[in-house]
Amino acid sequence: GAGVSQSPSNKVTEKGKDVELRCDPISGHTALYWYRQRLGQGLEFLIYFQGNSAPDKSGLPSDRFSAERTGESVSTLTIQRTQQEDSAVYLCASSFASGSYEQYFGPGTRLTVT
Amino acid sequence: GENVEQHPSTLSVQEGDSAVIKCTYSDSASNYFPWYKQELGKGPQLIIDIRSNVGEKKDQRIAVTLNKTAKHFSLHITETQPEDSAVYFCAAHGNQFYFGTGTSLTVIP
């Protein structure tokens, strides 16, 4: 079946602009996670959704970052007034439910802020 | 919160040799430990996982061991092949997923 998809695959934006990143999880997966991966580094947790609710927003780096999920399906991560330090790969993962269930990752969106 | 440490950061082995990557965690409540393989330009892919009620799990050339008392778990790859070259991440799940910093494995033909 279809895996997790993310769009766009690459995004180049100017400092100060807003960007929206999209994630389509595996159908039927109720949990959805966003991570940030800087070049050569590990995964940094940003936020997760159980259904359309976000019980844990503790990883969002600043109030410029927000995320939403609708219809227990697609999720968007929005970064306002982008800064150069926002440049990274943003990875989305989904799982059957939140908790200790296998996560399936999308290919990521590579964001470059110039 | 949880703290996951992963070693080594880079590892080179000859084709056919074994590779071992080790992780430690701090939160005794963590109960699920997956390992991911990430190839260049792709998202991480789950290769094996283990839960806290099991000490060892094997899948063909890949095995994972867990020592709950010492709070460490390891990935073992036997008979390595060039296509095993990638970055490997460990993770621990207690109330959320915490990832190690990754090991870049190179298998030399």
Side-chain angles (χ1 to χ4, degrees), chain A residues 24-84:
Chain A
D24 283 273
I26 293 172
S27 177
H29 279 192
T30 63
L32 186 149
Y33 302 78
W34 284 99
Y35 296 90
R36 179 168 68 179
Q37 186 176 32
R38 291 200 166 104
L39 187 63
Q41 298 188 19
L43 280 68
E44 177 188 358
F45 170 79
L46 298 178
I47 188 172
Y48 92 90
F49 291 88
Q50 177 56 48
N52 294 331
S53 301
D56 189 348
K57 303 180 182 179
S58 63
L60 293 177
S62 74
D63 59 6
R64 296 187 296 106
F65 288 71
S66 63
E68 66 174 16
R69 189 180 185 197
T70 56
E72 297 198 355
S73 180
V74 66
S75 175
T76 55
L77 176 69
T78 301
I79 308 173
Q80 296 178 308
R81 305 181 302 281
T82 51
Q83 304 293 314
Q84 288 186 330

Side-chain angles (χ1 to χ4, degrees), chain A residues 35 37 41-43 45 56 91 99-103 105-107, chain B residues 31-32 36 38 43-44 46 49 51 89 93 96-97 99-101:
Chain A
Y35 296 90
Q37 186 176 32
Q41 298 188 19
L43 280 68
F45 170 79
D56 189 348
L91 290 161
S100 56
Y101 291 92
E102 297 87 341
Q103 290 190 325
F105 282 84
Chain B
N31 59 8
Y32 173 59
Y36 293 88
Q38 187 175 28
L46 179 72
D49 57 11
R51 298 184 186 273
F89 291 97
H93 184 275
Q96 65 167 274
F97 282 93
F99 284 79
T101 49

Side-chain angles (χ1 to χ4, degrees), chain B residues 18-36:
Chain B
S18 295
V20 179
I21 302 170
K22 299 182 179 181
C23 288
T24 61
Y25 62 100
S26 59
D27 188 352
S28 57
S30 290
N31 59 8
Y32 173 59
F33 307 90
W35 285 89
Y36 293 88

Side-chain angles (χ1 to χ4, degrees), chain A residues 6 8-13 19 21 35-44 46 61 65 77 79 82-91 107-114:
Chain A
Q6 293 186 245
S9 55
N10 280 283
K11 176 72 176 178
V12 180
T13 190
V19 295
L21 312 180
Y35 296 90
R36 179 168 68 179
Q37 186 176 32
R38 291 200 166 104
L39 187 63
Q41 298 188 19
L43 280 68
E44 177 188 358
L46 298 178
F65 288 71
L77 176 69
I79 308 173
T82 51
Q83 304 293 314
Q84 288 186 330
E85 63 262 27
D86 299 334
S87 296
V89 174
Y90 289 82
L91 290 161
T109 293
R110 181 175 296 279
L111 175 66
T112 303
V113 182
T114 61

